[in-house]
Amino acid sequence: VTSVKALNGAQIEIKFNQKVNLPELLNQTQLARYVTATGVDTNGTVVLKQGFLSADGRTLTVVTDGSAPLAGRYVVKVKDVKNATGTTVTAYDEILNFGTDTTAPTLVSTVNLDSKTARVTFSEPLRAFTQSSISFKLANGTNVVGITGGITQGTWTADFDLSNATVNGRPLAANTVVYATFAGLRDIAGNFSSPNPVTTSFTIGGADGVKPTLAAIAQTGPKTFKLTFSERI
């Protein structure tokens, strides 16, 4: 381990000096085998919910459950991690001061995953933000109802289902632009978004006339395989 630092109030970055043999995505149970963080200034072990390994296999980003912000000193331990050749990496056990997160979360992107689903991505994990706290409008200010979706505690993306979007009881036509406004959005440390409120837009899609096809089949284990389609289904 070459460095460990808090990226924000809910993410820890662990860098290695070589490629390590870990899954690209680790769930809570898998992650607990390798990494722990225990508060020095605050009591209790931090719940590490998931981990993401970088494409080069040298950086592990650990995400907490968002129940409390990372702030102050923590004992961070990294153990039993193996490198690409199967050798166990030297264990890491240090007291680190993560300080306090004062950086405002920002909007990163808004994309249509398919004709009826839009995904909004922010720069870091956020506090829970329910659908009732988000306003959906047309360009002329008319309210749009029937869109569902929100942000759960400790996540940084929100998927919105546009299937039942209506204005004055009528379904929205394809290619209609909808504006979503998030007022009072905050990260785990309590920093409000910049700007606040933050507004983004997405488009109601229609049938594209192209049938999805099976693009590939790949074996992923002795008893598992993965099907890849030509588009989101």
Side-chain angles (χ1 to χ4, degrees), residues 60-210:
L60 178 65
T61 302
V62 178
V63 186
T64 75
D65 66 349
S67 58
L70 296 170
R73 295 176 298 167
Y74 293 85
V75 177
V76 178
K77 297 182 180 181
V78 182
K79 63 176 183 177
D80 298 333
V81 177
K82 296 182 183 298
N83 65 13
T85 62
T87 303
T88 301
V89 175
T90 302
Y92 180 91
D93 185 346
E94 297 286 346
I95 296 177
L96 302 174
N97 192 337
F98 289 154
T100 302
D101 176 18
T102 59
T103 302
T106 59
L107 176 70
V108 173
S109 65
T110 303
V111 297
N112 278 79
L113 298 180
D114 54 45
S115 64
K116 301 297 181 183
T117 310
R119 171 171 291 175
V120 181
T121 302
F122 293 90
S123 58
E124 62 178 293
L126 304 168
R127 296 187 181 188
F129 205 78
T130 62
Q131 174 190 336
S132 60
S133 302
I134 308 168
S135 65
F136 300 99
K137 298 180 182 293
L138 300 181
N140 62 9
T142 304
N143 288 326
V144 178
V145 300
I147 297 177
T148 57
I151 300 169
T152 57
Q153 186 80 11
T155 62
W156 53 95
T157 61
D159 288 350
F160 295 103
D161 184 353
L162 318 176
S163 303
N164 299 310
T166 61
V167 170
N168 298 324
R170 295 183 178 182
L172 294 183
N175 300 317
T176 300
V177 178
V178 177
Y179 294 85
T181 299
F182 303 77
L185 192 75
R186 293 193 290 173
D187 64 14
I188 300 302
N191 301 302
F192 285 98
S193 66
S194 177
N196 179 33
V198 58
T199 298
T200 187
S201 64
F202 39 78
T203 303
I204 303 291
D208 59 14
V210 179

Side-chain angles (χ1 to χ4, degrees), residues 2-33:
T2 58
S3 68
V4 179
K5 67 178 182 179
L7 297 177
N8 48 61
Q11 290 178 309
I12 301 171
E13 180 188 79
I14 302 169
K15 285 188 173 293
F16 300 91
N17 68 341
Q18 56 188 284
K19 183 178 181 178
V20 295
N21 184 22
L22 291 174
E24 292 180 6
L25 174 63
L26 293 89
N27 60 31
Q28 184 174 334
T29 301
Q30 293 171 312
L31 193 57
R33 295 171 50 191

